[in-house]
Amino acid sequence: MEYRKIKDEDDDGGTVSDDIESLKGKGFPGVVSISNVPPKEQAKWKRKTIVTLALTFLTSSQAILIVWSKRAGKYEYSVTTANFLVETLKCALSLAALARIWKSEGVTDDNRLSTTLDEVIVYPIPALLYLVKNLLQYYIFAYVDAPGYQILKNLNIISTGVLYRIILKKKLSEIQWAAFILLCAGCTTAQLNSRSDQVLQTPLPGWIMAIVMALLSGFAGVYTEAIIKKRPSRNINVQNFWLYIFGMAFNAVAILVQDFDAVMNKGFFHGYSLITTLMILNHALSGIAVSMVMKYADNIVKVYSTSVAMLLTAVVSVFLFGFNLTLAFFLGATVVSVSVYLQSAGKMQR
């Protein structure tokens, strides 16, 4: 019998077991074995996976944590102090990264903190823009829910693209212009309201705040990129440090103007909770994660993270806040995801 023959051959010379041993490490035709991937490539893919998961988690949880930090529909803590702590934490993280560089590479002209007035004087403008945008980020939730915020936040892609064309004189491809139109259509579709006489779920003040935030974010981003590329050899952590220093200064002024009496009477950390602390940590780490994407990954990672974050935020909001996941929202989120992908593809084809 055939089975008997194979068994006898195995008993006699071990031919079957020898053949199996000889196949180990060789793999099969057309199939890439992980053992054949160079260690550097394995490490690169590992970093890329970690960065993608981190950015997706941070992006999707950002709006959820802000809404979750409210009590009875309002913030019991001072949003200006929260913003100040975010900038302080980012500044500390930049210093920690610089300290590591100084230890391994030494202090050079490109990574030293000492600078000139001409170099530093440009940072107050983006720092002030980010201050206003970050404060509006809290107040917009009086008009939108967490999933709606994630959708409308993508409007900054349009403002960034247009400002790239105006300020940096970069030509936009036809695919990118088409992506902008799709993005507007997707945002509008996701906000359609079939359960009341009001056509859109988000009222006019919410849309105005979203558009203002998009313009501020776009202008600040383009302006910051222009600063960074003006001296490309300058260490990014040094540039971030000075940006965050001015961010801390402007937020300190905001505390004095807006919440001075509350801070003096109730304390700096009045109303803070575990959720508030996690929200501050999330905001600080999100900036670091975006920097890591630029260094270790690519635009596809940002597209993937943005698309998945919109859906994750919606699903989690169903359980936490009773969000009604409608067909209009799902279709709108899908169109927005496609437009974000097309905008990224158009950028690579320029």
Side-chain angles (χ1 to χ4, degrees):
M1 298 294 288
E2 199 68 27
Y3 166 76
R4 186 66 162 171
K5 181 180 178 182
I6 292 174
K7 186 176 185 305
D8 291 342
E9 288 179 357
D10 187 43
D11 290 340
D12 293 339
T15 56
V16 174
S17 59
D18 289 344
D19 288 342
I20 293 174
E21 287 296 326
S22 66
L23 288 173
K24 286 186 177 180
K26 291 184 178 181
F28 295 95
V31 179
V32 178
S33 173
I34 194 168
S35 61
N36 296 330
V37 179
K40 286 186 178 181
E41 287 297 316
Q42 291 184 31
K44 182 180 178 180
W45 276 103
K46 185 177 180 181
R47 278 198 305 264
K48 191 171 183 178
T49 302
I50 293 173
V51 168
T52 304
L53 293 174
L55 187 61
T56 303
F57 174 77
L58 291 170
T59 303
S60 59
S61 60
Q62 194 170 82
I64 292 172
L65 288 172
I66 294 177
V67 176
W68 208 358
S69 67
K70 298 170 75 172
R71 293 290 182 271
K74 65 178 183 178
Y75 302 107
E76 293 186 356
Y77 58 90
S78 165
V79 295
T80 54
T81 61
N83 261 346
F84 178 82
L85 291 176
V86 170
E87 296 299 314
T88 303
L89 183 55
K90 288 194 291 188
C91 189
L93 291 172
S94 296
L95 274 178
L98 276 174
R100 186 176 179 182
I101 292 172
W102 292 335
K103 185 177 180 180
S104 60
E105 301 176 8
V107 179
T108 65
D109 290 337
D110 289 329
N111 66 26
R112 66 173 71 247
L113 284 179
S114 57
T115 183
T116 62
L117 180 61
D118 290 337
E119 183 181 4
V120 172
I121 202 67
V122 296
Y123 289 106
I125 296 175
L128 182 60
L129 294 173
Y130 280 127
L131 166 69
V132 180
K133 178 256 179 183
N134 290 335
L135 288 177
L136 285 176
Q137 184 176 237
Y138 292 95
Y139 299 128
I140 195 174
F141 284 103
Y143 305 100
V144 302
D145 47 32
Y149 170 78
Q150 289 286 21
I151 292 287
L152 295 176
K153 192 170 71 170
N154 289 289
L155 289 173
N156 66 4
I157 295 175
I158 300 177
S159 64
T160 302
V162 173
L163 289 168
Y164 259 106
R165 181 72 182 91
I166 297 172
I167 298 176
L168 298 182
K169 308 298 182 183
K170 291 189 175 182
K171 186 179 179 181
L172 299 175
S173 67
E174 293 179 357
I175 293 179
Q176 287 179 295
W177 285 114
F180 293 161
I181 297 173
L182 272 178
L183 182 58
C184 292
C187 289
T188 305
T189 303
Q191 292 294 311
L192 290 177
N193 188 4
S194 60
R195 297 195 172 190
S196 71
D197 295 333
Q198 187 176 336
V199 178
L200 300 177
Q201 292 182 11
T202 301
L204 182 60
W207 277 93
I208 293 175
M209 293 178 73
I211 293 171
V212 171
M213 286 177 61
L215 290 172
L216 290 171
S217 179
F219 188 78
V222 172
Y223 193 91
T224 303
E225 182 173 336
I227 294 173
I228 293 173
K229 290 185 176 180
K230 187 177 180 180
R231 186 179 172 183
S233 61
R234 192 68 154 138
N235 188 281
I236 186 66
N237 292 296
V238 175
Q239 295 170 317
N240 283 341
F241 171 82
W242 287 111
L243 179 63
Y244 300 149
I245 284 291
F246 283 104
M248 291 170 60
F250 284 129
N251 276 282
V253 173
I255 293 173
L256 294 175
V257 172
Q258 183 173 322
D259 296 316
F260 179 76
D261 291 338
V263 171
M264 293 301 294
N265 295 329
K266 299 178 180 179
F268 191 91
F269 296 102
H270 173 75
Y272 276 58
S273 63
L274 176 61
I275 301 300
T276 311
T277 305
L278 291 175
M279 180 198 69
I280 292 171
L281 186 63
N282 175 286
H283 277 68
L285 291 178
S286 293
I288 304 299
V290 171
S291 299
M292 290 179 68
V293 166
M294 294 177 182
K295 184 173 182 179
Y296 296 117
D298 48 39
N299 272 333
I300 299 300
V301 169
K302 292 180 69 175
V303 171
Y304 170 83
S305 299
T306 301
S307 303
V308 175
M310 286 188 292
L311 296 177
L312 278 178
T313 302
V315 172
V316 174
S317 295
V318 170
F319 298 99
L320 288 181
F321 313 120
F323 172 71
N324 183 27
L325 188 58
T326 63
L327 178 61
F329 179 89
F330 179 78
L331 292 176
T334 302
V335 173
V336 169
S337 298
V338 172
S339 70
V340 172
Y341 170 77
L342 288 176
Q343 199 275 339
S344 178
K347 184 185 296 184
M348 290 185 290
Q349 291 179 12
R350 269 197 318 236

mmCIF file of all heavy atoms in Angstrom, residues 217-233:
data_model
loop_
_atom_site.group_PDB
_atom_site.id
_atom_site.type_symbol
_atom_site.label_atom_id
_atom_site.label_comp_id
_atom_site.label_asym_id
_atom_site.label_seq_id
_atom_site.Cartn_x
_atom_site.Cartn_y
_atom_site.Cartn_z
ATOM 1 N N SER A 217 -6.184 76.930 10.980
ATOM 2 C CA SER A 217 -5.299 75.762 10.949
ATOM 3 C C SER A 217 -4.502 75.721 9.663
ATOM 4 O O SER A 217 -3.297 75.433 9.665
ATOM 5 C CB SER A 217 -6.131 74.487 11.107
ATOM 6 O OG SER A 217 -5.320 73.337 11.053
ATOM 7 N N GLY A 218 -5.179 76.004 8.535
ATOM 8 C CA GLY A 218 -4.498 75.980 7.244
ATOM 9 C C GLY A 218 -3.414 77.036 7.150
ATOM 10 O O GLY A 218 -2.282 76.747 6.741
ATOM 11 N N PHE A 219 -3.736 78.274 7.559
ATOM 12 C CA PHE A 219 -2.758 79.353 7.482
ATOM 13 C C PHE A 219 -1.584 79.104 8.418
ATOM 14 O O PHE A 219 -0.422 79.300 8.048
ATOM 15 C CB PHE A 219 -3.417 80.689 7.817
ATOM 16 C CG PHE A 219 -2.526 81.871 7.582
ATOM 17 C CD1 PHE A 219 -2.319 82.362 6.301
ATOM 18 C CD2 PHE A 219 -1.874 82.487 8.633
ATOM 19 C CE1 PHE A 219 -1.489 83.448 6.079
ATOM 20 C CE2 PHE A 219 -1.037 83.571 8.432
ATOM 21 C CZ PHE A 219 -0.846 84.055 7.132
ATOM 22 N N ALA A 220 -1.885 78.651 9.653
ATOM 23 C CA ALA A 220 -0.817 78.371 10.611
ATOM 24 C C ALA A 220 0.083 77.247 10.108
ATOM 25 O O ALA A 220 1.309 77.311 10.246
ATOM 26 C CB ALA A 220 -1.410 77.999 11.969
ATOM 27 N N GLY A 221 -0.523 76.195 9.516
ATOM 28 C CA GLY A 221 0.264 75.074 9.012
ATOM 29 C C GLY A 221 1.175 75.471 7.863
ATOM 30 O O GLY A 221 2.351 75.106 7.828
ATOM 31 N N VAL A 222 0.620 76.240 6.905
ATOM 32 C CA VAL A 222 1.410 76.680 5.755
ATOM 33 C C VAL A 222 2.525 77.631 6.202
ATOM 34 O O VAL A 222 3.666 77.541 5.743
ATOM 35 C CB VAL A 222 0.503 77.355 4.706
ATOM 36 C CG1 VAL A 222 1.332 77.982 3.588
ATOM 37 C CG2 VAL A 222 -0.467 76.340 4.120
ATOM 38 N N TYR A 223 2.194 78.538 7.103
ATOM 39 C CA TYR A 223 3.177 79.504 7.602
ATOM 40 C C TYR A 223 4.308 78.787 8.344
ATOM 41 O O TYR A 223 5.489 79.102 8.167
ATOM 42 C CB TYR A 223 2.497 80.509 8.531
ATOM 43 C CG TYR A 223 3.335 81.718 8.864
ATOM 44 C CD1 TYR A 223 3.271 82.861 8.089
ATOM 45 C CD2 TYR A 223 4.197 81.714 9.955
ATOM 46 C CE1 TYR A 223 4.040 83.982 8.389
ATOM 47 C CE2 TYR A 223 4.970 82.813 10.268
ATOM 48 C CZ TYR A 223 4.888 83.946 9.476
ATOM 49 O OH TYR A 223 5.665 85.040 9.778
ATOM 50 N N THR A 224 3.929 77.801 9.173
ATOM 51 C CA THR A 224 4.943 77.041 9.924
ATOM 52 C C THR A 224 5.839 76.260 8.981
ATOM 53 O O THR A 224 7.060 76.184 9.184
ATOM 54 C CB THR A 224 4.256 76.082 10.918
ATOM 55 O OG1 THR A 224 3.403 76.825 11.788
ATOM 56 C CG2 THR A 224 5.298 75.338 11.750
ATOM 57 N N GLU A 225 5.250 75.653 7.945
ATOM 58 C CA GLU A 225 6.058 74.912 6.976
ATOM 59 C C GLU A 225 7.046 75.839 6.263
ATOM 60 O O GLU A 225 8.194 75.463 5.999
ATOM 61 C CB GLU A 225 5.160 74.218 5.959
ATOM 62 C CG GLU A 225 5.939 73.379 4.947
ATOM 63 C CD GLU A 225 5.051 72.563 4.032
ATOM 64 O OE1 GLU A 225 3.906 72.269 4.430
ATOM 65 O OE2 GLU A 225 5.505 72.217 2.925
ATOM 66 N N ALA A 226 6.583 77.059 5.955
ATOM 67 C CA ALA A 226 7.470 78.029 5.306
ATOM 68 C C ALA A 226 8.646 78.384 6.223
ATOM 69 O O ALA A 226 9.784 78.526 5.762
ATOM 70 C CB ALA A 226 6.678 79.284 4.938
ATOM 71 N N ILE A 227 8.372 78.487 7.528
ATOM 72 C CA ILE A 227 9.435 78.781 8.500
ATOM 73 C C ILE A 227 10.443 77.639 8.555
ATOM 74 O O ILE A 227 11.659 77.846 8.534
ATOM 75 C CB ILE A 227 8.829 79.023 9.902
ATOM 76 C CG1 ILE A 227 7.981 80.288 9.913
ATOM 77 C CG2 ILE A 227 9.935 79.116 10.951
ATOM 78 C CD1 ILE A 227 7.211 80.492 11.205
ATOM 79 N N ILE A 228 9.922 76.418 8.622
ATOM 80 C CA ILE A 228 10.791 75.240 8.736
ATOM 81 C C ILE A 228 11.669 75.081 7.502
ATOM 82 O O ILE A 228 12.866 74.807 7.596
ATOM 83 C CB ILE A 228 9.934 73.976 8.975
ATOM 84 C CG1 ILE A 228 9.269 74.041 10.351
ATOM 85 C CG2 ILE A 228 10.778 72.715 8.849
ATOM 86 C CD1 ILE A 228 8.270 72.932 10.605
ATOM 87 N N LYS A 229 11.063 75.269 6.324
ATOM 88 C CA LYS A 229 11.815 75.067 5.086
ATOM 89 C C LYS A 229 12.766 76.226 4.777
ATOM 90 O O LYS A 229 13.621 76.107 3.903
ATOM 91 C CB LYS A 229 10.839 74.864 3.928
ATOM 92 C CG LYS A 229 10.118 73.523 4.011
ATOM 93 C CD LYS A 229 9.244 73.276 2.812
ATOM 94 C CE LYS A 229 8.622 71.884 2.886
ATOM 95 N NZ LYS A 229 7.744 71.596 1.729
ATOM 96 N N LYS A 230 12.596 77.350 5.491
ATOM 97 C CA LYS A 230 13.516 78.470 5.301
ATOM 98 C C LYS A 230 14.913 78.092 5.751
ATOM 99 O O LYS A 230 15.912 78.558 5.198
ATOM 100 C CB LYS A 230 13.006 79.685 6.090
ATOM 101 C CG LYS A 230 13.788 80.954 5.821
ATOM 102 C CD LYS A 230 13.179 82.130 6.581
ATOM 103 C CE LYS A 230 13.962 83.408 6.312
ATOM 104 N NZ LYS A 230 13.371 84.564 7.065
ATOM 105 N N ARG A 231 14.983 77.234 6.778
ATOM 106 C CA ARG A 231 16.270 76.722 7.238
ATOM 107 C C ARG A 231 16.115 75.226 7.469
ATOM 108 O O ARG A 231 15.936 74.769 8.586
ATOM 109 C CB ARG A 231 16.720 77.428 8.519
ATOM 110 C CG ARG A 231 18.125 77.035 8.967
ATOM 111 C CD ARG A 231 18.521 77.793 10.225
ATOM 112 N NE ARG A 231 19.778 77.269 10.748
ATOM 113 C CZ ARG A 231 20.351 77.698 11.872
ATOM 114 N NH1 ARG A 231 19.788 78.663 12.579
ATOM 115 N NH2 ARG A 231 21.483 77.165 12.296
ATOM 116 N N PRO A 232 16.172 74.424 6.412
ATOM 117 C CA PRO A 232 15.882 72.979 6.513
ATOM 118 C C PRO A 232 16.855 72.207 7.396
ATOM 119 O O PRO A 232 16.504 71.150 7.918
ATOM 120 C CB PRO A 232 15.966 72.506 5.057
ATOM 121 C CG PRO A 232 16.770 73.539 4.349
ATOM 122 C CD PRO A 232 16.494 74.831 5.033
ATOM 123 N N SER A 233 18.079 72.723 7.556
ATOM 124 C CA SER A 233 19.061 72.001 8.371
ATOM 125 C C SER A 233 18.802 72.156 9.866
ATOM 126 O O SER A 233 19.324 71.393 10.674
ATOM 127 C CB SER A 233 20.474 72.489 8.045
ATOM 128 O OG SER A 233 20.598 73.867 8.345
#
